[in-house]
Amino acid sequence: MEMLIIEKQALDELLYRPDALKTKRNSLYTASGVAPQEWIDNPQACRMLSASKRTLQNLRDSGILPFTKMGAKIFYKPEDIERMLQAGYEFKN
C-alpha cells in the first residue's frame, strides 16, 4: 500500500471544501493547457455498469476495477469503467 503525507490544511480543503479543490484543479489545467479528467463516483459507476454497490466492492477488492478514495467517497477513472463495458462484464444484482 502506498502512503501519502499531506498537510492538515490541504486535507481539510479536500474533505470539506471540494469546490475549492475543483477551482484549483481547473486553474492548474488552464495554465498547463491540458484538459481536466472527470471522475466517476460510485453511484454513477453502479448505473453505468448496471451493478450493485456490493459488486463494485468485490471488483475493487479483487483488483479488477482500479479506484481512488477521497475521504469517504470512491471515484473511478472513466477509461476504467469504459474498459469494463468493452470487456462485456455482466453482473447479477
Side-chain angles (χ1 to χ4, degrees):
M1 178 189 295
E2 187 176 338
M3 244 180 153
L4 176 69
I5 298 174
I6 186 168
E7 293 178 354
K8 182 176 179 350
Q9 180 182 358
L11 179 63
D12 288 343
E13 281 189 17
L14 286 172
L15 296 176
Y16 304 112
R17 295 186 48 221
D19 56 320
L21 175 64
K22 195 173 210 177
T23 301
K24 186 170 186 124
R25 180 197 71 171
N26 288 340
S27 68
L28 289 171
Y29 282 121
T30 302
S32 69
V34 177
Q37 175 183 352
E38 293 298 322
W39 291 80
I40 296 170
D41 66 10
N42 214 47
Q44 289 172 312
C46 285
R47 285 191 302 273
M48 290 175 75
L49 295 171
S50 297
S52 67
K53 291 189 290 186
R54 183 65 196 152
T55 298
L56 289 183
Q57 177 70 52
N58 288 338
L59 292 169
R60 290 192 307 269
D61 291 347
S62 63
I64 294 172
L65 183 58
F67 67 98
T68 297
K69 189 170 183 180
M70 290 180 63
K73 289 203 64 146
I74 295 172
F75 296 95
Y76 308 92
K77 290 182 180 179
E79 58 266 22
D80 291 332
I81 299 295
E82 183 64 30
R83 178 180 48 81
M84 298 285 295
L85 292 170
Q86 288 179 356
Y89 278 93
E90 290 186 24
F91 309 106
K92 295 181 180 171
N93 292 323

